[in-house]
Amino acid sequence: MTEPAIKYRLIKKEKHTGARLGEIITPHGTFPTPMFMPVGTLATVKTMAPEELKDMGAGIILSNTYHLWLRPGEDIVEEAGGLHRFMNWDQGILTDSGGFQVWSLSDMRRIEEEGVHFRNHLNGSKMFLSPEKAIQIQNKLGPDIMMSFDECPPFYESHDYVKKSIDRTSRWAERGLKAHANADRQGLFGIIQGAGYKDLRQQSARDLVAMDFPGYSIGGLSVGETKHEMNTILEYTTPLIPEHKPRYLMGVGTADSLIDGVIRGVDMFDCVLPTRIARNGTCMTSKGRLVVKNAQYARDFRPLDEKCDCYTCRNYTRAYIRHLIKCDETFGMRLTSYHNLYFLLNVMKQVRQAIMDDNLLEFREAFFEEYGFNEE
Ligand code: GUN
Ligand code: ZN
């Protein structure tokens, strides 16, 4: 038996919720959980230098198999010495498998037992991605954590379709495990699917847990269902995952959803949201979203968030950032991206402290009160 590449250490369970404080030990360092992972789709977290991400406490970032397969190609990344050296990032990296990206970005998808045929979003040429190919690409890219190739069915798809889909996703997970060549230095996670059907989520979890992955993702969420539906699914899904394995909720990145996910036992999150909305001037703050382009900020010389002590908020005003964003200046996008990532990482830091202090529900109440969040 070789040592697993990825280990989860449970430090403490919160007294009144399902939240857990822990850490994940990777070949590129250890990061505390719960954690939010910034997304660097094309081997860059858009506008951010690795040193800046490190300064704000990002111990792991996410990248994408699909995008790097198309450009520059996994062989070039491998030749560079792997993704870490290619992009000068010496902390953790997780890659998504391409399953979700093929569904959300490409045209003319056709799904078969063998894999997915599609036309890529760059030049429309025909491509094919299989569970084995997704693993081979990730073995060459060299992230610390890899994802199994899965299908993310639409949330309101029929029970009959979703049942067939999770059966196939389980077979794909098994095929991926067999194809995985670097289990000593890369941990492969299984992805639990099942849309909004409890019996199917249970079956998907049971299938994958039997395969003994070093960690489990919860997929198929934040795809148009209500917050209440997501919370309900998390409530019954996280207890199906062994306690000594990390739980990763894919594609979720609003502060309120992070807090509600942690309360239900989630350890890791990722989302393009903070960096994507930053580039058009939408800022995440302790008082909710601030659209800095709005005319009301033209002469507002306060920081984006008066409670924030990030580089952006310590040095620049809403008026200046508004001017930059309105003029499409890249420095404006850098400042808002830095702030939004710092804000979410800081929320997670406070959440970890609240778990330590057993007062996460009080923290949630105070946070939501100021954030102006109304339950949906
Ligand atoms: N990112 C967000 N949701 C998903 C999902 O269901 N599967 C995969 N592979 N990636 C995701
Ligand atoms: Zn800030």
Side-chain angles (χ1 to χ4, degrees), residues 76-376:
I76 289 179
V77 176
E78 187 183 36
E79 251 178 79
L83 209 37
H84 294 86
R85 290 184 54 187
F86 187 52
M87 66 180 291
N88 185 36
W89 174 255
D90 62 6
Q91 318 267 96
I93 302 180
L94 180 155
T95 50
D96 198 354
S97 57
F100 186 75
Q101 287 70 34
V102 163
W103 291 99
S104 53
L105 295 173
S106 68
D107 280 332
M108 317 239 315
R109 301 162 297 252
R110 198 175 77 247
I111 189 161
E112 289 175 357
E113 183 61 26
E114 205 35 44
V116 185
H117 297 270
F118 62 96
R119 289 183 182 273
N120 80 46
H121 73 294
L122 296 176
N123 61 14
S125 71
K126 283 186 181 173
M127 302 192 78
F128 177 69
L129 194 55
S130 68
E132 289 81 8
K133 181 74 184 171
I135 298 300
Q136 286 154 8
I137 297 169
Q138 293 182 85
N139 280 161
K140 287 188 177 181
L141 296 173
D144 304 281
I145 304 179
M146 330 195 316
M147 291 299 123
S148 296
F149 191 62
D150 62 327
E151 183 191 357
C152 172
F155 192 81
Y156 297 108
E157 198 39 281
S158 70
H159 187 279
D160 188 49
Y161 182 87
V162 178
K163 162 81 176 134
K164 291 193 173 90
S165 170
I166 60 158
D167 284 343
R168 185 169 45 220
T169 287
S170 293
R171 292 191 294 273
W172 285 0
E174 184 87 58
R175 280 166 58 187
L177 263 183
K178 286 214 182 82
H180 184 18
N182 302 334
D184 57 324
R185 56 195 150 135
Q186 296 181 279
L188 173 62
F189 282 22
I191 305 179
I192 300 169
Q193 293 286 356
Y197 302 108
K198 185 172 182 180
D199 60 323
L200 299 183
R201 289 272 171 193
Q202 287 170 329
Q203 188 205 314
S204 177
R206 209 181 318 118
D207 288 355
L208 297 169
V209 167
M211 298 177 210
D212 196 26
F213 287 95
Y216 292 91
S217 310
I218 303 170
L221 291 177
S222 203
V223 291
E225 78 285 6
T226 66
K227 278 186 194 304
H228 178 74
E229 283 169 320
M230 170 150 69
N231 287 336
T232 304
I233 293 164
L234 292 176
E235 245 151 59
Y236 62 63
T237 303
T238 56
L240 305 170
I241 302 170
E243 191 174 79
H244 59 289
K245 304 273 176 89
R247 305 142 175 195
Y248 160 32
L249 173 55
M250 310 188 82
V252 168
T254 59
D256 47 281
S257 302
L258 297 188
I259 295 170
D260 281 337
V262 167
I263 283 173
R264 291 163 180 82
V266 175
D267 305 309
M268 306 155 72
F269 304 84
D270 82 284
C271 194
V272 294
L273 190 78
T275 40
R276 179 171 291 163
I277 66 176
R279 295 194 297 281
N280 64 42
T282 302
C283 303
M284 297 174 157
T285 81
S286 52
K287 294 191 157 60
R289 288 200 193 175
L290 183 149
V291 181
V292 78
K293 263 192 192 171
N294 288 351
Q296 70 188 108
Y297 302 119
R299 291 184 168 76
D300 190 333
F301 302 106
R302 290 174 295 172
L304 291 175
D305 186 341
E306 288 178 290
K307 280 200 168 163
C308 183
D309 62 352
C310 84
Y311 169 76
T312 301
C313 292
R314 278 186 287 108
N315 296 290
Y316 302 93
T317 64
R318 296 173 184 179
Y320 178 62
I321 296 167
R322 172 176 188 272
H323 157 69
L324 293 179
I325 295 278
K326 282 196 76 85
C327 297
D328 280 329
E329 286 290 343
T330 50
F331 190 53
M333 301 180 199
R334 273 171 56 64
L335 292 176
T336 51
S337 297
Y338 192 103
H339 165 79
N340 280 0
L341 289 175
Y342 186 98
F343 174 76
L344 281 188
L345 288 166
N346 194 245
V347 168
M348 294 310 261
K349 194 169 163 188
Q350 292 173 271
V351 162
R352 292 193 297 270
Q353 187 61 50
I355 299 175
M356 195 55 128
D357 300 339
D358 288 316
N359 61 7
L360 186 56
L361 290 174
E362 290 84 347
F363 171 82
R364 179 187 186 275
E365 194 161 334
F367 182 91
F368 278 39
E369 169 78 27
E370 193 182 0
Y371 194 65
F373 180 69
N374 18 8
E375 312 278 339
E376 277 169 41

